[in-house]
Amino acid sequence: MSSENRENTFKEKIYECNKHIEKINISKKHLLPFIPLNTQTYLKMDEVSLSFIDSLIFRFSKLQDTMGEKIFPSILILSKEDVKKKTFLDILNRLEELEIVNKNEWLNLREARNEIAHEYSFNTTEVVDSINIIYEKSENLINIYQKVYSFCKTRFEIS
């Protein structure tokens, strides 16, 4: 991939992340009156409100996937570092050395994402607990993204 194509792909992924954050914020705004959610409230929610929960979870997952799979390796590639033989943990460690990402915070967010992805819908209490966690931790994910974006904007002159 040429340097120009790599930069364009990187900018597309930044745009994609910004869209995920926009949708997360819209979902959170709609869900705010229900938070912290409990099982009684969850079971009485209308389809529109439930769709905002789905959107929050989907966008949280997609934002974390895009950052982890595309943005993080691209930061190192655009910095002229070799990532071909690096594992995801190697990349996280390097980004932590650069003071861009806190590895443990990232892994905790990943764990929260994986928990709700594997919840069984018949266990309402666990689903509600996971929704509350994703709602709360979405702000941490957005803060990480903003720090990454700020680094990229300065380092790679993206807009």
Side-chain angles (χ1 to χ4, degrees):
M1 181 182 288
S2 74
S3 176
E4 185 177 330
N5 284 346
R6 187 172 293 123
E7 288 178 27
N8 286 337
T9 299
F10 184 72
K11 287 178 182 177
E12 287 176 16
K13 295 303 172 189
I14 293 290
Y15 176 82
E16 185 180 315
C17 287
N18 287 330
K19 280 294 176 191
H20 292 315
I21 289 171
E22 180 185 322
K23 300 299 182 185
I24 286 171
N25 286 331
I26 290 170
S27 295
K28 287 182 71 175
K29 184 178 178 182
H30 182 85
L31 295 170
L32 183 60
F34 305 108
I35 299 294
L37 193 59
N38 60 48
T39 53
Q40 293 78 22
T41 303
Y42 177 72
L43 293 172
K44 292 178 184 173
M45 291 178 88
D46 62 31
E47 290 299 320
V48 173
S49 297
L50 292 172
S51 71
F52 281 104
I53 290 173
D54 288 343
S55 176
L56 173 66
I57 294 166
F58 175 76
R59 295 296 180 159
F60 182 95
S61 298
K62 295 300 286 181
L63 177 59
Q64 195 171 40
D65 286 347
T66 303
M67 289 174 66
E69 295 170 10
K70 304 296 181 187
I71 301 292
F72 291 173
S74 293
I75 288 171
L76 299 182
I77 291 169
L78 292 170
S79 299
K80 310 292 185 212
E81 294 191 26
D82 186 14
V83 297
K84 286 181 183 170
K85 294 181 180 174
K86 290 189 177 189
T87 66
F88 182 68
L89 282 178
D90 293 336
I91 292 171
L92 271 181
N93 285 328
R94 181 64 183 131
L95 293 174
E96 191 169 61
E97 287 173 1
L98 295 170
E99 300 180 356
I100 301 171
V101 175
N102 176 306
K103 180 179 76 178
N104 290 332
E105 184 179 20
W106 182 263
L107 293 175
N108 286 336
L109 291 171
R110 188 74 179 176
E111 188 176 313
R113 174 201 182 260
N114 288 343
E115 282 181 26
I116 199 156
H118 296 102
E119 291 292 338
Y120 296 103
S121 59
F122 61 81
N123 190 335
T124 308
T125 302
E126 288 182 10
V127 169
V128 166
D129 289 345
S130 293
I131 292 167
N132 284 324
I133 290 170
I134 293 295
Y135 186 94
E136 178 187 321
K137 292 193 181 262
S138 64
E139 206 56 43
N140 299 38
L141 183 58
I142 291 170
N143 289 337
I144 292 171
Y145 173 74
Q146 289 170 339
K147 188 171 182 181
V148 167
Y149 179 76
S150 177
F151 176 87
C152 294
K153 192 173 177 180
T154 303
R155 178 71 61 98
F156 309 121
E157 298 177 4
I158 61 163
S159 55

